[in-house]
Amino acid sequence: MEVRRTTVRDMRRSNRSVILTSIYREGPLSRQELTVRTSLSAASVSNLVAELIAEGVVEEAGSVESEGGRPRVLLRVAPTFRYVVGAEVGETRVRVELFDLAMNVLARADHPTSAPTPAEVVKHVLEGLSSVITASGVQPQQVLGLGVAVAGVVEDNAVVDAQTLGWEAVPLAEMLAEGTDIPVHVDNGANMLGQAEMYFGAGRGATDAVVALVGSGVGSALVAGGSSYRGTRSSAGEWGHMTIVYGGRQCRCGALGCLEAYVGAEGVLDRYREAGGLVEGDEETAFVALLSSTSEPAATIIADTIGYLAAGFANLVNLVNPERIVLGGWAGLALGEKHLDELRAEVGKHALRRPYAQVSIVLCELGRDAVALGAATLPVVRLLRDGGALPNRR
């Protein structure tokens, strides 16, 4: 077996990556703070920061008073060094957003859809990409990359199996790359919600967490020891397809009794309809109306949904012992904004006492559109990993 030797260039790129990642994830930071956080020498930090500033990747962002000395200059990743695009492929829409590196939204495009085929998704994403670039005034060569979040198992950041959509081994990244020279990255939607919340939202500071996405379907992102846990082939986190009722309702995946069949918006509305409730309008409108209804069938369905979701959370508490569970997704937020206290209390009835006492259950802080934001971090992560080096383009 050939052993690859680490070169000086490799070490320099690695050290640049450490510094850049620290500034991006924890900044603004001073050179002194970087020295402490990275364990690099003050001279190395100074030299590498000077390189990054000269290249335009990093910029000075004010100063803070120091104890008994000159003010310390703060550093941040330059927001306009490059731009990134994130796309959320949902079951009712494809949303594409363009961000600067401070993750400010500069342009947005939405395409309504229903059970989209791979070809339809590619068409909508590429149209959205063109639209947000034009609307923002950003030049295509200034875009670092396009991150795409989809419902389903994503292997090798490229190939999608989405059982509920009927997709099998779809080479989505390759299909998208045929229509643009901007680098394309693809990942699971729940993982991207998790990445966004862990970077910028309710997950910050936690090292062991679960970020739960509840929308039409249900998924989760697992974080262990500060790193995303993906499993053998990247399908870890398919929490929506754990069996919650043996021999229960049929899930969209074809199995019986999945959690998704009871707490996903589609399943909740199906149960409400079967109980005699009136379901009108699109899925989101009908779900919000259900939560606002004072009818007896609505009250029963809501209480049952809280119970099923609590049981699912309790299983996570007992199985992975997270310090934090973050509830997100449009349906999860709608439910949690009205019933979070009840949900917490119900989790306590099902979970083991000690791990339940160690977990906090909170709502996402980035809102219902955080999936596209998370997708946009994919090219940012590549930039950080490569120490600020720009990707090759076709």
Side-chain angles (χ1 to χ4, degrees):
M1 182 178 70
E2 182 180 350
V3 178
R4 184 178 184 276
R5 294 182 178 179
T6 301
T7 66
V8 172
R9 180 179 295 178
D10 292 333
M11 286 295 299
R12 195 170 195 85
R13 182 172 60 244
S14 175
N15 290 341
R16 281 171 56 112
S17 175
V18 169
I19 288 173
L20 197 57
T21 301
S22 295
I23 293 173
Y24 189 79
R25 294 287 302 274
E26 303 171 56
L29 296 174
S30 67
R31 291 169 177 79
Q32 291 85 346
E33 289 171 318
L34 282 169
T35 300
V36 172
R37 291 168 190 259
T38 64
S39 298
L40 297 172
S41 69
S44 292
V45 167
S46 181
N47 289 336
L48 294 174
V49 165
E51 280 184 11
L52 292 166
I53 289 176
E55 294 167 15
V57 188
V58 168
E59 66 182 15
E60 295 183 350
S63 61
V64 292
E65 296 295 328
S66 61
E67 296 180 3
R70 294 182 300 174
R72 294 183 175 181
V73 175
L74 297 177
L75 305 165
R76 68 176 181 181
V77 173
T80 58
F81 171 68
R82 287 295 187 275
Y83 301 86
V84 290
V85 177
E88 175 190 3
V89 178
E91 296 183 36
T92 59
R93 73 177 183 195
V94 173
R95 164 161 287 184
V96 181
E97 296 180 320
L98 185 142
F99 303 83
D100 62 20
L101 293 185
M103 306 317 288
N104 299 306
V105 180
L106 303 182
R108 175 183 293 126
D110 281 315
H111 295 272
T113 187
S114 177
T117 65
E120 288 172 333
V121 165
V122 169
K123 176 177 179 289
H124 291 325
V125 170
L126 292 178
E127 286 177 351
L129 175 63
S130 176
S131 176
V132 296
I133 288 175
T134 299
S136 65
V138 169
Q139 297 300 311
Q141 60 269 25
Q142 294 178 290
V143 179
L144 271 179
L146 164 66
V148 182
V150 296
V153 177
V154 181
E155 294 190 13
D156 302 321
N157 300 316
V159 180
V160 181
D161 279 278
Q163 203 160 315
T164 57
L165 294 176
W167 293 15
E168 184 175 353
V170 174
L172 187 61
E174 180 181 329
M175 293 170 68
L176 287 164
E178 290 176 358
T180 179
D181 68 348
I182 293 171
V184 176
H185 313 261
V186 179
D187 208 330
N188 170 266
N191 285 333
M192 292 301 89
L193 173 67
Q195 188 151 292
E197 289 291 335
M198 295 302 294
Y199 272 35
F200 312 112
R204 289 192 75 176
T207 56
D208 294 271
V210 178
V211 180
L213 187 157
V214 180
S216 298
V218 176
S220 70
L222 306 179
V223 178
S227 300
S228 175
Y229 178 74
R230 301 299 185 100
T232 302
R233 298 295 292 173
S234 199
S235 70
E238 288 291 342
W239 168 66
H241 299 289
M242 66 180 294
T243 301
I244 199 75
V245 178
Y246 175 73
R249 296 174 58 84
Q250 185 168 36
C251 179
R252 299 182 304 169
C253 74
L256 300 178
C258 292
L259 179 66
E260 181 173 300
Y262 292 88
V263 305
E266 183 176 310
V268 171
L269 291 173
D270 281 346
R271 292 192 293 114
Y272 183 45
R273 191 180 292 109
E274 292 167 4
L278 181 63
V279 176
E280 294 182 318
D282 62 44
E283 189 172 82
E284 294 189 29
T285 300
F287 190 82
V288 171
L290 166 62
L291 294 178
S292 301
S293 175
T294 57
S295 71
E296 185 175 334
T300 299
I301 294 299
I302 293 168
D304 287 348
T305 301
I306 292 169
Y308 287 125
L309 183 57
F313 277 174
N315 286 335
L316 290 172
V317 170
N318 294 342
L319 185 65
V320 300
N321 187 209
E323 63 183 288
R324 196 172 304 166
I325 295 176
V326 181
L327 174 59
W330 66 265
L333 284 173
L335 182 68
E337 285 165 358
K338 289 178 175 289
H339 301 287
L340 186 60
D341 288 340
E342 296 165 61
L343 178 62
R344 288 170 174 151
E346 287 297 315
V347 175
K349 295 177 183 178
H350 298 282
L352 294 170
R353 287 192 299 271
R354 185 60 178 165
Y356 174 68
Q358 297 166 337
V359 69
S360 60
I361 301 172
V362 299
L363 294 181
C364 283
E365 293 179 358
L366 301 177
R368 49 187 294 178
D369 298 323
V371 175
L373 171 64
T377 65
L378 289 171
V380 176
V381 170
R382 175 71 176 269
L383 179 74
L384 301 179
R385 186 196 70 189
D386 292 345
L390 296 175
N392 294 324
R393 303 178 76 127
R394 292 186 298 159

